[in-house]
Amino acid sequence: MRVLGTAGHVDHGKSTLVQALTGIHPDRLKEEREREMTIDLGFAWLELPNGEEVGIVDVPGHRDFIENMLAGVGGIDAALLVIAADEGVMPQTREHLSILDLLQIRAGVVALSKIDLVEDAEWLDLVEEDVRRTLQGTALASAPVVRVSARTRQGMESLLAALQDCLAGVAPRPDFGRPRLPVDRVFSMPGFGTVVTGTLNDGLFRLGDEVEVLPGLARGRIRGLQTHKKKEDFAVPGSRTAMNISGVAVADIRRGDVVAHPGDYLPTRRLDVRFRLLPDASQPLQHDTQVKLFLGAAEVLARVRLLGSEAIAPGGEGWLQLEPVQMVVAARGDRYILRRPSPGETLGGGEVVNPHPKGRHKRFSPSVLAGLQTLALGSPTQILAQALAGEGAATVSEVIARSGIDEATAMPALDELVQSGELVVLEGNGAPGALQGNDLLAGKAYAQASAEALLGEVKAYHQSCPLRKGMPRQELKGKARLAARPFNALLAGLVKDGSLVEVGPLVMAPGSEIRFNPQQEAAVAALLKRFTANPNAPPSVKECKADVGEDVYTALLELERLVQVSAEVVFLAEAYQRMVSEVRKLIAEHGAVTAAQARDHFDTSRKYVLALLEHLDALGVTVREGDARRLRSPR
């Protein structure tokens, strides 16, 4: 399915020619009919002599409505540039031609219209010669020029034949399996509800598909599909598509939104792009200029960040990072246009090379500029590696989405990168040809640097905290500044290969142990002697910390030489194990035990016995019934 777009100066007969070709008048608004001037996008279709149906988007020619023109011209396969024979090339002819050139729409036919108004054959020859000079150096340089009259129908068969030949050389729209419909019109139909129209890109939509409307994330389901007013079970790439969506209100959609399958695309507020400033621009493009960005059917204000230069001169090219004020949806390779908001002027355009840069680039960084060059010109493996480089670690699906490469091309390239060792599978199978969409990938250098950073943090912790058995896992994650999934995967790998040891919530280096200095050893020995002297009524937690210091006391707990059972009571580990065993025996013999019985049995005070019994309650060893405890029944 192909789509043809008109272009040309106001009142050069675009809509009249479309009506003559199709039998459909594309001007649908009452004001357009009254003023005999196209204001907004119009739509029609025709059947070529070979039987192929072609959609037509008719755009405004008046300079006041150039931005409406941009909403429709981005989704076309070929252009029908209309130039009135009685006037010749005019300002909007040149501006529309520049836009087609920036969007790289290389297929087209020039209709030299209204020839019935020109009686002088030499004048027609002069106008056609001027048209051909104007086309030189543009995307339509080789386009045929056909003389036509919509009123008399002279040349119409030749025009249809030229359009058929032109479209025969246009490659079919690719099917990447990720359909997206940039919305150029939204309305409500009685009995049906919300309907959107646009030119479908990158995949198929089918009846019943769940869809989301981006960037607003409203979700619905496809209730109906039409192409050229014919009901369809599915819509194909390149087709003019009308979609009836249930579950989404008209108020939730606007021109420029994108309909897609959930999860296929992520809205963005930052784009890395290649840009060309038109030679006839009124002034250079400066850093931090505010512009209007036209992308797909969207129009949004954006701020320009120049990369590698302070300005781009008319006719020059460069790298930009665009920051739209609202979220937009883009894929690598999308074409775009920039206009100055006031006074209105088309500045230039180019290609999106990275729709999801990680953040603001350093404007004059050589590595940033080299990375952008790779994305623009590199092979699939280079593009995928570069797409991942900006993220550190990402899933296979995320890398493919950010690269803009179709899955069929990307998967073998990713497999090649993994097998060569350039990419590392942090989490997943990793076997040749077995990559899955949720597998976590990282560049080799990133994975090595992150692993070394984790090892370094643990080593530094042991050096700064010699009285701690290991580093708390959450503290390590915070120090490493890694997202949860890469951190977990890298740590698991280091534990698996023996580089680190994980015990409960602690991470430690192999063979690491708490070591006391001689002074600390002496203090510990003296404290433990006090525990041994009266194991059932030992020193309090407060006394222990006063004797050896808080750090040494915590170390004794981590070494499991002491067991703290309450905020105040702590026992020697051996004494604790013995007392727990004896409580079990007492209950087994008597069926239950009270605090008084336990106090008498251990010949100690109520403070120690209550702390121990409440501790055993909390562990689920015992359960309290009135003043007594019994063993908790196994579940």
Side-chain angles (χ1 to χ4, degrees), residues 174 176 178 180 202 264-265 330-334 351-356 375 380 383-384 387 396-407 409-410:
F176 296 146
R178 294 183 296 146
R180 53 182 171 137
D202 298 346
D264 275 359
Y265 293 92
R332 181 181 174 275
D334 284 354
E351 182 179 22
V352 175
V353 296
N354 185 2
H356 296 283
L375 283 173
I383 292 169
L384 288 161
V396 168
S397 296
E398 289 168 341
V399 175
I400 292 174
R402 287 172 185 140
S403 73
I405 299 175
D406 63 282
E407 186 173 346
T409 302

PDB file of all heavy atoms in Angstrom, residues 174 176 178 180 202 264-265 330-334 351-356 375 380 383-384 387 396-407 409-410:
ATOM      1  N   PRO A 174       8.769  -1.223   5.357  1.00  0.00           N
ATOM      2  CA  PRO A 174       9.241  -2.377   6.129  1.00  0.00           C
ATOM      3  C   PRO A 174       8.270  -2.766   7.234  1.00  0.00           C
ATOM      4  O   PRO A 174       7.553  -1.916   7.769  1.00  0.00           O
ATOM      5  CB  PRO A 174      10.575  -1.886   6.717  1.00  0.00           C
ATOM      6  CG  PRO A 174      10.448  -0.398   6.763  1.00  0.00           C
ATOM      7  CD  PRO A 174       9.595  -0.022   5.577  1.00  0.00           C
ATOM      8  N   PHE A 176       8.574  -4.181  10.764  1.00  0.00           N
ATOM      9  CA  PHE A 176       9.454  -4.490  11.878  1.00  0.00           C
ATOM     10  C   PHE A 176       8.729  -5.199  13.017  1.00  0.00           C
ATOM     11  O   PHE A 176       9.320  -5.470  14.062  1.00  0.00           O
ATOM     12  CB  PHE A 176      10.106  -3.212  12.426  1.00  0.00           C
ATOM     13  CG  PHE A 176      11.012  -2.515  11.451  1.00  0.00           C
ATOM     14  CD1 PHE A 176      11.113  -1.133  11.435  1.00  0.00           C
ATOM     15  CD2 PHE A 176      11.775  -3.239  10.553  1.00  0.00           C
ATOM     16  CE1 PHE A 176      11.955  -0.489  10.543  1.00  0.00           C
ATOM     17  CE2 PHE A 176      12.618  -2.599   9.652  1.00  0.00           C
ATOM     18  CZ  PHE A 176      12.710  -1.224   9.646  1.00  0.00           C
ATOM     19  N   ARG A 178       6.502  -3.889  14.851  1.00  0.00           N
ATOM     20  CA  ARG A 178       6.200  -2.920  15.915  1.00  0.00           C
ATOM     21  C   ARG A 178       5.365  -1.792  15.309  1.00  0.00           C
ATOM     22  O   ARG A 178       5.853  -0.685  15.101  1.00  0.00           O
ATOM     23  CB  ARG A 178       7.483  -2.366  16.523  1.00  0.00           C
ATOM     24  CG  ARG A 178       8.309  -3.382  17.275  1.00  0.00           C
ATOM     25  CD  ARG A 178       9.523  -2.741  17.904  1.00  0.00           C
ATOM     26  NE  ARG A 178      10.437  -2.215  16.910  1.00  0.00           N
ATOM     27  CZ  ARG A 178      11.175  -1.115  17.077  1.00  0.00           C
ATOM     28  NH1 ARG A 178      11.059  -0.415  18.184  1.00  0.00           N
ATOM     29  NH2 ARG A 178      11.994  -0.709  16.130  1.00  0.00           N
ATOM     30  N   ARG A 180       3.053   1.323  14.372  1.00  0.00           N
ATOM     31  CA  ARG A 180       2.741   2.615  15.008  1.00  0.00           C
ATOM     32  C   ARG A 180       1.979   3.461  14.005  1.00  0.00           C
ATOM     33  O   ARG A 180       2.313   3.513  12.820  1.00  0.00           O
ATOM     34  CB  ARG A 180       3.997   3.337  15.503  1.00  0.00           C
ATOM     35  CG  ARG A 180       5.076   3.503  14.465  1.00  0.00           C
ATOM     36  CD  ARG A 180       6.295   4.189  15.045  1.00  0.00           C
ATOM     37  NE  ARG A 180       7.413   4.159  14.115  1.00  0.00           N
ATOM     38  CZ  ARG A 180       8.220   5.181  13.875  1.00  0.00           C
ATOM     39  NH1 ARG A 180       8.055   6.324  14.509  1.00  0.00           N
ATOM     40  NH2 ARG A 180       9.207   5.065  13.013  1.00  0.00           N
ATOM     41  N   ASP A 202       5.721   0.389  10.168  1.00  0.00           N
ATOM     42  CA  ASP A 202       6.529  -0.573  10.944  1.00  0.00           C
ATOM     43  C   ASP A 202       5.840  -1.878  11.353  1.00  0.00           C
ATOM     44  O   ASP A 202       6.434  -2.669  12.074  1.00  0.00           O
ATOM     45  CB  ASP A 202       7.089   0.085  12.205  1.00  0.00           C
ATOM     46  CG  ASP A 202       8.018   1.236  11.894  1.00  0.00           C
ATOM     47  OD1 ASP A 202       8.417   1.346  10.721  1.00  0.00           O
ATOM     48  OD2 ASP A 202       8.344   2.013  12.796  1.00  0.00           O
ATOM     49  N   ASP A 264       5.738  -1.407  22.993  1.00  0.00           N
ATOM     50  CA  ASP A 264       6.613  -1.384  21.813  1.00  0.00           C
ATOM     51  C   ASP A 264       7.454  -0.117  21.727  1.00  0.00           C
ATOM     52  O   ASP A 264       8.567  -0.135  21.203  1.00  0.00           O
ATOM     53  CB  ASP A 264       5.792  -1.530  20.527  1.00  0.00           C
ATOM     54  CG  ASP A 264       5.505  -2.980  20.185  1.00  0.00           C
ATOM     55  OD1 ASP A 264       5.950  -3.859  20.938  1.00  0.00           O
ATOM     56  OD2 ASP A 264       4.839  -3.230  19.160  1.00  0.00           O
ATOM     57  N   TYR A 265       6.914   1.001  22.205  1.00  0.00           N
ATOM     58  CA  TYR A 265       7.625   2.282  22.094  1.00  0.00           C
ATOM     59  C   TYR A 265       7.575   3.007  23.435  1.00  0.00           C
ATOM     60  O   TYR A 265       6.614   2.886  24.188  1.00  0.00           O
ATOM     61  CB  TYR A 265       6.994   3.162  21.009  1.00  0.00           C
ATOM     62  CG  TYR A 265       7.157   2.603  19.622  1.00  0.00           C
ATOM     63  CD1 TYR A 265       6.171   1.768  19.075  1.00  0.00           C
ATOM     64  CD2 TYR A 265       8.281   2.882  18.860  1.00  0.00           C
ATOM     65  CE1 TYR A 265       6.314   1.236  17.796  1.00  0.00           C
ATOM     66  CE2 TYR A 265       8.435   2.353  17.585  1.00  0.00           C
ATOM     67  CZ  TYR A 265       7.454   1.531  17.064  1.00  0.00           C
ATOM     68  OH  TYR A 265       7.609   0.996  15.813  1.00  0.00           O
ATOM     69  N   ALA A 330       9.449   8.448  18.902  1.00  0.00           N
ATOM     70  CA  ALA A 330      10.329   8.414  17.737  1.00  0.00           C
ATOM     71  C   ALA A 330      11.064   7.092  17.686  1.00  0.00           C
ATOM     72  O   ALA A 330      11.199   6.391  18.693  1.00  0.00           O
ATOM     73  CB  ALA A 330      11.330   9.572  17.780  1.00  0.00           C
ATOM     74  N   ALA A 331      11.549   6.766  16.493  1.00  0.00           N
ATOM     75  CA  ALA A 331      12.404   5.605  16.293  1.00  0.00           C
ATOM     76  C   ALA A 331      13.626   6.063  15.516  1.00  0.00           C
ATOM     77  O   ALA A 331      13.598   7.091  14.821  1.00  0.00           O
ATOM     78  CB  ALA A 331      11.670   4.509  15.520  1.00  0.00           C
ATOM     79  N   ARG A 332      14.691   5.309  15.658  1.00  0.00           N
ATOM     80  CA  ARG A 332      15.910   5.633  14.913  1.00  0.00           C
ATOM     81  C   ARG A 332      15.598   5.647  13.412  1.00  0.00           C
ATOM     82  O   ARG A 332      14.932   4.767  12.889  1.00  0.00           O
ATOM     83  CB  ARG A 332      16.993   4.605  15.212  1.00  0.00           C
ATOM     84  CG  ARG A 332      18.291   4.875  14.490  1.00  0.00           C
ATOM     85  CD  ARG A 332      19.328   3.821  14.807  1.00  0.00           C
ATOM     86  NE  ARG A 332      20.499   4.018  13.993  1.00  0.00           N
ATOM     87  CZ  ARG A 332      20.649   3.557  12.755  1.00  0.00           C
ATOM     88  NH1 ARG A 332      19.677   2.840  12.221  1.00  0.00           N
ATOM     89  NH2 ARG A 332      21.744   3.799  12.060  1.00  0.00           N
ATOM     90  N   GLY A 333      16.093   6.659  12.723  1.00  0.00           N
ATOM     91  CA  GLY A 333      15.866   6.779  11.291  1.00  0.00           C
ATOM     92  C   GLY A 333      14.692   7.660  10.919  1.00  0.00           C
ATOM     93  O   GLY A 333      14.523   8.000   9.741  1.00  0.00           O
ATOM     94  N   ASP A 334      13.865   8.058  11.893  1.00  0.00           N
ATOM     95  CA  ASP A 334      12.749   8.954  11.592  1.00  0.00           C
ATOM     96  C   ASP A 334      13.273  10.303  11.086  1.00  0.00           C
ATOM     97  O   ASP A 334      14.290  10.819  11.579  1.00  0.00           O
ATOM     98  CB  ASP A 334      11.885   9.188  12.835  1.00  0.00           C
ATOM     99  CG  ASP A 334      10.984   8.010  13.154  1.00  0.00           C
ATOM    100  OD1 ASP A 334      10.943   7.054  12.359  1.00  0.00           O
ATOM    101  OD2 ASP A 334      10.306   8.061  14.202  1.00  0.00           O
ATOM    102  N   GLU A 351      17.617  13.559  10.500  1.00  0.00           N
ATOM    103  CA  GLU A 351      17.289  12.192  10.887  1.00  0.00           C
ATOM    104  C   GLU A 351      17.549  11.972  12.367  1.00  0.00           C
ATOM    105  O   GLU A 351      18.542  12.467  12.921  1.00  0.00           O
ATOM    106  CB  GLU A 351      18.153  11.225  10.072  1.00  0.00           C
ATOM    107  CG  GLU A 351      17.870   9.756  10.350  1.00  0.00           C
ATOM    108  CD  GLU A 351      18.735   8.844   9.503  1.00  0.00           C
ATOM    109  OE1 GLU A 351      19.793   9.291   9.027  1.00  0.00           O
ATOM    110  OE2 GLU A 351      18.357   7.673   9.324  1.00  0.00           O
ATOM    111  N   VAL A 352      16.656  11.241  13.017  1.00  0.00           N
ATOM    112  CA  VAL A 352      16.841  10.845  14.410  1.00  0.00           C
ATOM    113  C   VAL A 352      17.845   9.685  14.446  1.00  0.00           C
ATOM    114  O   VAL A 352      17.651   8.666  13.780  1.00  0.00           O
ATOM    115  CB  VAL A 352      15.517  10.400  15.044  1.00  0.00           C
ATOM    116  CG1 VAL A 352      15.746   9.871  16.467  1.00  0.00           C
ATOM    117  CG2 VAL A 352      14.522  11.554  15.060  1.00  0.00           C
ATOM    118  N   VAL A 353      18.933   9.840  15.192  1.00  0.00           N
ATOM    119  CA  VAL A 353      19.914   8.753  15.305  1.00  0.00           C
ATOM    120  C   VAL A 353      19.796   8.023  16.640  1.00  0.00           C
ATOM    121  O   VAL A 353      20.175   6.863  16.757  1.00  0.00           O
ATOM    122  CB  VAL A 353      21.360   9.247  15.096  1.00  0.00           C
ATOM    123  CG1 VAL A 353      21.548   9.765  13.685  1.00  0.00           C
ATOM    124  CG2 VAL A 353      21.748  10.305  16.113  1.00  0.00           C
ATOM    125  N   ASN A 354      19.266   8.693  17.653  1.00  0.00           N
ATOM    126  CA  ASN A 354      19.054   8.034  18.948  1.00  0.00           C
ATOM    127  C   ASN A 354      17.826   8.645  19.613  1.00  0.00           C
ATOM    128  O   ASN A 354      17.869   9.791  20.061  1.00  0.00           O
ATOM    129  CB  ASN A 354      20.276   8.198  19.858  1.00  0.00           C
ATOM    130  CG  ASN A 354      20.132   7.431  21.163  1.00  0.00           C
ATOM    131  OD1 ASN A 354      19.139   6.736  21.389  1.00  0.00           O
ATOM    132  ND2 ASN A 354      21.111   7.537  22.042  1.00  0.00           N
ATOM    133  N   PRO A 355      16.721   7.891  19.664  1.00  0.00           N
ATOM    134  CA  PRO A 355      15.503   8.438  20.266  1.00  0.00           C
ATOM    135  C   PRO A 355      15.503   8.406  21.790  1.00  0.00           C
ATOM    136  O   PRO A 355      14.602   8.961  22.412  1.00  0.00           O
ATOM    137  CB  PRO A 355      14.405   7.536  19.710  1.00  0.00           C
ATOM    138  CG  PRO A 355      15.080   6.230  19.451  1.00  0.00           C
ATOM    139  CD  PRO A 355      16.490   6.561  19.065  1.00  0.00           C
ATOM    140  N   HIS A 356      16.503   7.737  22.383  1.00  0.00           N
ATOM    141  CA  HIS A 356      16.517   7.615  23.849  1.00  0.00           C
ATOM    142  C   HIS A 356      17.917   7.822  24.423  1.00  0.00           C
ATOM    143  O   HIS A 356      18.475   6.923  25.066  1.00  0.00           O
ATOM    144  CB  HIS A 356      15.985   6.244  24.278  1.00  0.00           C
ATOM    145  CG  HIS A 356      14.557   6.020  23.933  1.00  0.00           C
ATOM    146  ND1 HIS A 356      13.517   6.571  24.648  1.00  0.00           N
ATOM    147  CD2 HIS A 356      13.975   5.316  22.930  1.00  0.00           C
ATOM    148  CE1 HIS A 356      12.365   6.212  24.117  1.00  0.00           C
ATOM    149  NE2 HIS A 356      12.617   5.451  23.064  1.00  0.00           N
ATOM    150  N   LEU A 375      26.267   5.691  15.318  1.00  0.00           N
ATOM    151  CA  LEU A 375      24.830   5.422  15.217  1.00  0.00           C
ATOM    152  C   LEU A 375      24.286   5.798  13.847  1.00  0.00           C
ATOM    153  O   LEU A 375      23.402   5.137  13.310  1.00  0.00           O
ATOM    154  CB  LEU A 375      24.079   6.205  16.292  1.00  0.00           C
ATOM    155  CG  LEU A 375      24.141   5.653  17.718  1.00  0.00           C
ATOM    156  CD1 LEU A 375      23.494   6.626  18.681  1.00  0.00           C
ATOM    157  CD2 LEU A 375      23.463   4.296  17.805  1.00  0.00           C
ATOM    158  N   PRO A 380      24.864  -2.921  11.802  1.00  0.00           N
ATOM    159  CA  PRO A 380      23.940  -3.297  12.886  1.00  0.00           C
ATOM    160  C   PRO A 380      24.648  -3.604  14.197  1.00  0.00           C
ATOM    161  O   PRO A 380      24.171  -3.195  15.257  1.00  0.00           O
ATOM    162  CB  PRO A 380      23.234  -4.535  12.310  1.00  0.00           C
ATOM    163  CG  PRO A 380      23.229  -4.308  10.840  1.00  0.00           C
ATOM    164  CD  PRO A 380      24.554  -3.639  10.546  1.00  0.00           C
ATOM    165  N   ILE A 383      25.780  -0.289  15.702  1.00  0.00           N
ATOM    166  CA  ILE A 383      24.643   0.500  16.184  1.00  0.00           C
ATOM    167  C   ILE A 383      24.103  -0.078  17.486  1.00  0.00           C
ATOM    168  O   ILE A 383      23.810   0.648  18.439  1.00  0.00           O
ATOM    169  CB  ILE A 383      23.545   0.540  15.113  1.00  0.00           C
ATOM    170  CG1 ILE A 383      24.026   1.349  13.904  1.00  0.00           C
ATOM    171  CG2 ILE A 383      22.255   1.136  15.658  1.00  0.00           C
ATOM    172  CD1 ILE A 383      23.136   1.225  12.691  1.00  0.00           C
ATOM    173  N   LEU A 384      23.997  -1.407  17.549  1.00  0.00           N
ATOM    174  CA  LEU A 384      23.486  -2.046  18.764  1.00  0.00           C
ATOM    175  C   LEU A 384      24.431  -1.849  19.932  1.00  0.00           C
ATOM    176  O   LEU A 384      24.007  -1.575  21.061  1.00  0.00           O
ATOM    177  CB  LEU A 384      23.258  -3.535  18.505  1.00  0.00           C
ATOM    178  CG  LEU A 384      22.057  -3.852  17.597  1.00  0.00           C
ATOM    179  CD1 LEU A 384      22.176  -5.251  17.024  1.00  0.00           C
ATOM    180  CD2 LEU A 384      20.745  -3.713  18.356  1.00  0.00           C
ATOM    181  N   ALA A 387      24.050   1.671  21.056  1.00  0.00           N
ATOM    182  CA  ALA A 387      22.772   1.873  21.742  1.00  0.00           C
ATOM    183  C   ALA A 387      22.848   1.390  23.183  1.00  0.00           C
ATOM    184  O   ALA A 387      22.261   1.991  24.080  1.00  0.00           O
ATOM    185  CB  ALA A 387      21.662   1.143  20.999  1.00  0.00           C
ATOM    186  N   VAL A 396      17.559  -7.224  26.171  1.00  0.00           N
ATOM    187  CA  VAL A 396      17.635  -7.375  24.714  1.00  0.00           C
ATOM    188  C   VAL A 396      16.551  -6.532  24.040  1.00  0.00           C
ATOM    189  O   VAL A 396      16.814  -5.819  23.071  1.00  0.00           O
ATOM    190  CB  VAL A 396      17.485  -8.864  24.323  1.00  0.00           C
ATOM    191  CG1 VAL A 396      17.261  -9.014  22.824  1.00  0.00           C
ATOM    192  CG2 VAL A 396      18.726  -9.648  24.752  1.00  0.00           C
ATOM    193  N   SER A 397      15.332  -6.597  24.553  1.00  0.00           N
ATOM    194  CA  SER A 397      14.223  -5.842  23.956  1.00  0.00           C
ATOM    195  C   SER A 397      14.478  -4.341  24.016  1.00  0.00           C
ATOM    196  O   SER A 397      14.188  -3.613  23.054  1.00  0.00           O
ATOM    197  CB  SER A 397      12.911  -6.168  24.673  1.00  0.00           C
ATOM    198  OG  SER A 397      12.562  -7.520  24.494  1.00  0.00           O
ATOM    199  N   GLU A 398      15.021  -3.859  25.124  1.00  0.00           N
ATOM    200  CA  GLU A 398      15.295  -2.430  25.262  1.00  0.00           C
ATOM    201  C   GLU A 398      16.374  -1.982  24.292  1.00  0.00           C
ATOM    202  O   GLU A 398      16.282  -0.905  23.687  1.00  0.00           O
ATOM    203  CB  GLU A 398      15.710  -2.118  26.698  1.00  0.00           C
ATOM    204  CG  GLU A 398      14.575  -2.212  27.707  1.00  0.00           C
ATOM    205  CD  GLU A 398      15.040  -2.177  29.142  1.00  0.00           C
ATOM    206  OE1 GLU A 398      16.245  -2.448  29.404  1.00  0.00           O
ATOM    207  OE2 GLU A 398      14.215  -1.894  30.024  1.00  0.00           O
ATOM    208  N   VAL A 399      17.417  -2.796  24.127  1.00  0.00           N
ATOM    209  CA  VAL A 399      18.499  -2.444  23.205  1.00  0.00           C
ATOM    210  C   VAL A 399      17.970  -2.358  21.778  1.00  0.00           C
ATOM    211  O   VAL A 399      18.280  -1.425  21.031  1.00  0.00           O
ATOM    212  CB  VAL A 399      19.642  -3.471  23.286  1.00  0.00           C
ATOM    213  CG1 VAL A 399      20.709  -3.174  22.232  1.00  0.00           C
ATOM    214  CG2 VAL A 399      20.278  -3.453  24.667  1.00  0.00           C
ATOM    215  N   ILE A 400      17.156  -3.334  21.379  1.00  0.00           N
ATOM    216  CA  ILE A 400      16.610  -3.335  20.017  1.00  0.00           C
ATOM    217  C   ILE A 400      15.726  -2.114  19.808  1.00  0.00           C
ATOM    218  O   ILE A 400      15.806  -1.444  18.770  1.00  0.00           O
ATOM    219  CB  ILE A 400      15.826  -4.632  19.759  1.00  0.00           C
ATOM    220  CG1 ILE A 400      16.785  -5.830  19.727  1.00  0.00           C
ATOM    221  CG2 ILE A 400      15.057  -4.543  18.440  1.00  0.00           C
ATOM    222  CD1 ILE A 400      16.098  -7.167  19.610  1.00  0.00           C
ATOM    223  N   ALA A 401      14.896  -1.802  20.795  1.00  0.00           N
ATOM    224  CA  ALA A 401      13.999  -0.645  20.666  1.00  0.00           C
ATOM    225  C   ALA A 401      14.789   0.648  20.519  1.00  0.00           C
ATOM    226  O   ALA A 401      14.456   1.514  19.703  1.00  0.00           O
ATOM    227  CB  ALA A 401      13.069  -0.563  21.872  1.00  0.00           C
ATOM    228  N   ARG A 402      15.868   0.791  21.276  1.00  0.00           N
ATOM    229  CA  ARG A 402      16.654   2.028  21.227  1.00  0.00           C
ATOM    230  C   ARG A 402      17.482   2.131  19.955  1.00  0.00           C
ATOM    231  O   ARG A 402      17.804   3.223  19.505  1.00  0.00           O
ATOM    232  CB  ARG A 402      17.567   2.111  22.449  1.00  0.00           C
ATOM    233  CG  ARG A 402      16.789   2.417  23.723  1.00  0.00           C
ATOM    234  CD  ARG A 402      17.649   2.311  24.957  1.00  0.00           C
ATOM    235  NE  ARG A 402      16.841   2.498  26.145  1.00  0.00           N
ATOM    236  CZ  ARG A 402      16.961   1.810  27.261  1.00  0.00           C
ATOM    237  NH1 ARG A 402      17.861   0.858  27.337  1.00  0.00           N
ATOM    238  NH2 ARG A 402      16.190   2.039  28.291  1.00  0.00           N
ATOM    239  N   SER A 403      17.838   1.001  19.391  1.00  0.00           N
ATOM    240  CA  SER A 403      18.655   1.021  18.171  1.00  0.00           C
ATOM    241  C   SER A 403      17.851   1.397  16.943  1.00  0.00           C
ATOM    242  O   SER A 403      18.380   1.934  15.972  1.00  0.00           O
ATOM    243  CB  SER A 403      19.295  -0.352  17.947  1.00  0.00           C
ATOM    244  OG  SER A 403      18.336  -1.301  17.508  1.00  0.00           O
ATOM    245  N   GLY A 404      16.542   1.078  16.939  1.00  0.00           N
ATOM    246  CA  GLY A 404      15.719   1.323  15.771  1.00  0.00           C
ATOM    247  C   GLY A 404      15.864   0.272  14.694  1.00  0.00           C
ATOM    248  O   GLY A 404      15.312   0.402  13.609  1.00  0.00           O
ATOM    249  N   ILE A 405      16.606  -0.816  14.975  1.00  0.00           N
ATOM    250  CA  ILE A 405      16.811  -1.891  14.006  1.00  0.00           C
ATOM    251  C   ILE A 405      15.728  -2.942  14.212  1.00  0.00           C
ATOM    252  O   ILE A 405      15.337  -3.232  15.343  1.00  0.00           O
ATOM    253  CB  ILE A 405      18.215  -2.524  14.189  1.00  0.00           C
ATOM    254  CG1 ILE A 405      19.290  -1.469  13.948  1.00  0.00           C
ATOM    255  CG2 ILE A 405      18.411  -3.694  13.244  1.00  0.00           C
ATOM    256  CD1 ILE A 405      20.685  -1.967  14.224  1.00  0.00           C
ATOM    257  N   ASP A 406      15.237  -3.525  13.110  1.00  0.00           N
ATOM    258  CA  ASP A 406      14.195  -4.536  13.249  1.00  0.00           C
ATOM    259  C   ASP A 406      14.754  -5.783  13.939  1.00  0.00           C
ATOM    260  O   ASP A 406      15.955  -6.084  13.860  1.00  0.00           O
ATOM    261  CB  ASP A 406      13.618  -4.914  11.889  1.00  0.00           C
ATOM    262  CG  ASP A 406      14.648  -5.542  10.973  1.00  0.00           C
ATOM    263  OD1 ASP A 406      15.459  -4.788  10.399  1.00  0.00           O
ATOM    264  OD2 ASP A 406      14.650  -6.767  10.831  1.00  0.00           O
ATOM    265  N   GLU A 407      13.882  -6.508  14.628  1.00  0.00           N
ATOM    266  CA  GLU A 407      14.297  -7.645  15.447  1.00  0.00           C
ATOM    267  C   GLU A 407      14.985  -8.733  14.632  1.00  0.00           C
ATOM    268  O   GLU A 407      15.962  -9.339  15.089  1.00  0.00           O
ATOM    269  CB  GLU A 407      13.081  -8.226  16.182  1.00  0.00           C
ATOM    270  CG  GLU A 407      13.435  -9.333  17.166  1.00  0.00           C
ATOM    271  CD  GLU A 407      12.245  -9.776  17.987  1.00  0.00           C
ATOM    272  OE1 GLU A 407      11.224  -9.063  17.999  1.00  0.00           O
ATOM    273  OE2 GLU A 407      12.330 -10.849  18.614  1.00  0.00           O
ATOM    274  N   THR A 409      16.910  -8.483  12.130  1.00  0.00           N
ATOM    275  CA  THR A 409      18.307  -8.096  11.880  1.00  0.00           C
ATOM    276  C   THR A 409      19.097  -8.003  13.181  1.00  0.00           C
ATOM    277  O   THR A 409      20.277  -8.367  13.238  1.00  0.00           O
ATOM    278  CB  THR A 409      18.351  -6.743  11.151  1.00  0.00           C
ATOM    279  OG1 THR A 409      17.617  -6.842   9.934  1.00  0.00           O
ATOM    280  CG2 THR A 409      19.783  -6.326  10.837  1.00  0.00           C
ATOM    281  N   ALA A 410      18.425  -7.520  14.236  1.00  0.00           N
ATOM    282  CA  ALA A 410      19.123  -7.237  15.486  1.00  0.00           C
ATOM    283  C   ALA A 410      19.548  -8.501  16.243  1.00  0.00           C
ATOM    284  O   ALA A 410      20.646  -8.551  16.810  1.00  0.00           O
ATOM    285  CB  ALA A 410      18.253  -6.371  16.390  1.00  0.00           C
TER     286      ALA A 410
END
